[in-house]
Amino acid sequence: MKVLSALTALLAAGVASAFVPAPMGTRAVTRTNMAAEGEFYIDEERRFLMNLILAGSAAVTVGGLAIPYIAFFVPPGAGGGGGGIPAKNALGDDLMAKAYLEEKPAGDRSLAQGLKGDAT
């Protein structure tokens, strides 16, 4: 039993040290020159051009998504289409509302054609 407890203690010590960070030695600090003679820097005109490209591409992307989204909520305009479809009787003749209501009494069960010729 003593051998088993000694073996467990050794394993536990090895596992516990696995989570300890490795010691770090001293680091050498090196100095870098930030600007060198003849180095290429982006001037104001090029920065302005890059900003225009960035803003333009963002506007195209946002506009391409926003315009259809907004257009979905705008109701369709007036005009277009030729109006409704005229009602027809069983023979296919057009029915005029005023004449039809004068001719038929209330509760009359005569039929008119629907959109596809079905009786309604």
Side-chain angles (χ1 to χ4, degrees):
M1 198 60 154
K2 288 184 180 183
V3 173
L4 184 58
S5 63
L7 184 60
T8 306
L10 285 175
L11 285 175
V15 171
S17 66
F19 296 106
V20 175
M24 297 182 63
T26 59
R27 294 186 191 178
V29 177
T30 59
R31 183 176 172 188
T32 57
N33 291 334
M34 298 306 281
E37 187 75 26
E39 187 74 26
F40 176 73
Y41 288 103
I42 299 175
D43 58 351
E44 191 172 332
E45 291 177 21
R46 289 190 182 176
R47 288 177 60 124
F48 180 72
L49 180 64
M50 287 191 297
N51 287 338
L52 285 179
I53 293 170
L54 176 68
S57 64
V60 168
T61 303
V62 170
L65 294 171
I67 290 173
Y69 181 79
I70 293 169
F72 176 79
F73 295 104
V74 176
I85 298 174
K88 299 187 179 286
N89 62 10
L91 301 174
D93 299 328
D94 290 345
L95 293 176
M96 301 301 164
K98 192 174 225 177
Y100 184 80
L101 292 175
E102 288 174 358
E103 183 182 319
K104 306 291 183 184
D108 184 19
R109 298 201 178 261
S110 63
L111 301 175
Q113 287 184 8
L115 295 177
K116 294 184 179 180
D118 298 331
T120 59

Coordinates of all heavy atoms in Angstrom, one line a residue, residues 1-3 11 18 25 27 32 34 40-41 50 58 61 73 89 91 97 99-100 106 115-116:
M1 N 0.8 -1.2 0.0 CA 0.0 0.0 0.0 C 0.9 1.3 0.0 O 0.5 2.2 -0.6 CB -0.9 -0.1 1.2 CG -2.1 0.9 1.1 SD -3.0 0.4 -0.3 CE -4.5 1.0 0.0
K2 N 2.0 1.2 0.7 CA 2.9 2.3 0.7 C 3.5 2.6 -0.7 O 3.7 3.7 -1.0 CB 4.0 2.0 1.7 CG 3.6 2.1 3.1 CD 4.8 1.9 4.0 CE 4.4 1.9 5.5 NZ 5.5 1.9 6.4
V3 N 3.7 1.6 -1.5 CA 4.2 1.7 -2.8 C 3.2 2.5 -3.7 O 3.5 3.4 -4.4 CB 4.6 0.4 -3.4 CG1 5.0 0.5 -4.9 CG2 5.7 -0.3 -2.6
L11 N 3.1 10.9 -9.3 CA 2.3 11.3 -10.4 C 1.6 12.6 -10.2 O 1.6 13.4 -11.1 CB 1.3 10.2 -10.7 CG 1.8 8.9 -11.4 CD1 0.7 7.9 -11.5 CD2 2.5 9.2 -12.7
A18 N 2.9 20.5 -14.5 CA 2.6 20.7 -15.9 C 1.9 22.0 -16.1 O 2.0 22.6 -17.2 CB 1.7 19.6 -16.4
G25 N 13.7 33.8 -19.1 CA 15.0 34.5 -18.9 C 14.9 36.0 -19.2 O 13.8 36.5 -19.5
R27 N 15.0 39.3 -21.2 CA 14.9 39.6 -22.6 C 15.8 40.8 -23.0 O 15.9 41.8 -22.3 CB 13.4 40.0 -22.9 CG 12.5 38.9 -22.7 CD 11.1 39.4 -23.2 NE 10.1 38.4 -22.8 CZ 8.8 38.6 -23.0 NH1 8.4 39.7 -23.6 NH2 8.0 37.7 -22.6
T32 N 14.7 50.0 -32.4 CA 14.5 50.1 -33.9 C 14.4 51.5 -34.3 O 13.8 52.3 -33.6 CB 13.3 49.3 -34.3 OG1 12.2 49.8 -33.6 CG2 13.4 47.8 -33.9
M34 N 12.6 54.2 -36.2 CA 11.2 54.3 -36.7 C 11.1 54.9 -38.1 O 10.3 54.7 -38.8 CB 10.4 55.2 -35.7 CG 10.3 54.5 -34.3 SD 9.7 52.8 -34.4 CE 7.9 53.1 -34.6
F40 N 9.2 55.3 -47.8 CA 8.0 55.7 -48.5 C 6.8 55.9 -47.5 O 6.5 54.9 -46.8 CB 7.6 54.6 -49.5 CG 6.3 54.9 -50.2 CD1 6.2 55.9 -51.2 CD2 5.2 54.1 -49.9 CE1 5.0 56.1 -51.8 CE2 4.0 54.4 -50.6 CZ 3.9 55.3 -51.5
Y41 N 6.2 57.0 -47.5 CA 5.1 57.3 -46.6 C 3.9 57.7 -47.5 O 4.1 58.3 -48.5 CB 5.4 58.5 -45.7 CG 6.3 58.1 -44.6 CD1 7.7 58.5 -44.6 CD2 5.9 57.3 -43.5 CE1 8.6 58.1 -43.7 CE2 6.8 56.9 -42.5 CZ 8.1 57.3 -42.6 OH 9.0 56.9 -41.6
M50 N -7.8 56.6 -50.8 CA -8.1 55.3 -50.2 C -9.4 55.4 -49.4 O -10.2 54.5 -49.3 CB -6.9 54.9 -49.3 CG -5.7 54.3 -50.1 SD -4.5 53.5 -49.1 CE -4.0 54.8 -48.0
A58 N -18.3 50.8 -49.3 CA -19.2 50.6 -48.2 C -20.6 51.1 -48.7 O -21.6 50.5 -48.4 CB -18.8 51.3 -47.0
T61 N -22.2 48.6 -51.0 CA -22.7 47.4 -50.3 C -23.9 47.7 -49.4 O -24.9 47.0 -49.5 CB -21.6 46.9 -49.3 OG1 -20.4 46.6 -50.1 CG2 -22.0 45.7 -48.6
F73 N -41.2 48.2 -48.2 CA -42.2 48.8 -47.3 C -42.9 50.0 -48.0 O -43.9 50.5 -47.5 CB -41.6 49.3 -46.1 CG -41.1 48.2 -45.2 CD1 -39.7 47.9 -45.1 CD2 -42.0 47.4 -44.5 CE1 -39.3 46.8 -44.4 CE2 -41.5 46.3 -43.7 CZ -40.2 46.0 -43.7
N89 N -72.4 37.4 -67.4 CA -73.5 36.5 -67.1 C -73.1 35.1 -67.7 O -72.0 34.9 -68.2 CB -74.8 37.0 -67.7 CG -74.8 37.2 -69.2 OD1 -73.9 36.7 -69.9 ND2 -75.8 37.8 -69.7
L91 N -74.0 33.7 -70.4 CA -73.7 33.7 -71.8 C -72.4 34.4 -72.2 O -72.0 34.4 -73.3 CB -74.9 34.4 -72.5 CG -76.3 33.8 -72.3 CD1 -77.3 34.6 -73.0 CD2 -76.3 32.4 -72.9
A97 N -73.6 47.0 -63.3 CA -74.1 46.9 -61.9 C -75.5 47.5 -61.7 O -76.4 46.9 -61.1 CB -73.1 47.6 -61.0
A99 N -78.0 48.1 -63.9 CA -79.0 47.4 -64.7 C -79.2 46.0 -64.0 O -80.4 45.6 -63.9 CB -78.6 47.2 -66.1
Y100 N -78.2 45.4 -63.5 CA -78.3 44.1 -62.9 C -79.1 44.2 -61.6 O -80.0 43.3 -61.3 CB -76.9 43.5 -62.7 CG -77.0 42.1 -62.1 CD1 -77.2 41.0 -62.9 CD2 -76.8 41.8 -60.7 CE1 -77.2 39.7 -62.4 CE2 -76.8 40.6 -60.2 CZ -77.0 39.5 -61.0 OH -77.1 38.2 -60.5
A106 N -83.8 41.4 -54.5 CA -82.9 41.0 -53.4 C -83.2 39.5 -53.1 O -84.3 39.1 -53.1 CB -83.2 41.8 -52.2
L115 N -63.8 34.8 -62.2 CA -62.6 35.2 -62.9 C -62.3 34.2 -64.0 O -61.8 34.6 -65.1 CB -61.4 35.4 -62.0 CG -61.6 36.5 -61.0 CD1 -60.4 36.5 -60.0 CD2 -61.7 37.8 -61.6
K116 N -62.5 32.9 -63.8 CA -62.1 31.9 -64.8 C -63.3 31.3 -65.4 O -63.3 30.2 -65.9 CB -61.2 30.8 -64.1 CG -59.9 31.4 -63.6 CD -59.0 30.2 -63.1 CE -57.7 30.8 -62.7 NZ -56.8 29.7 -62.1

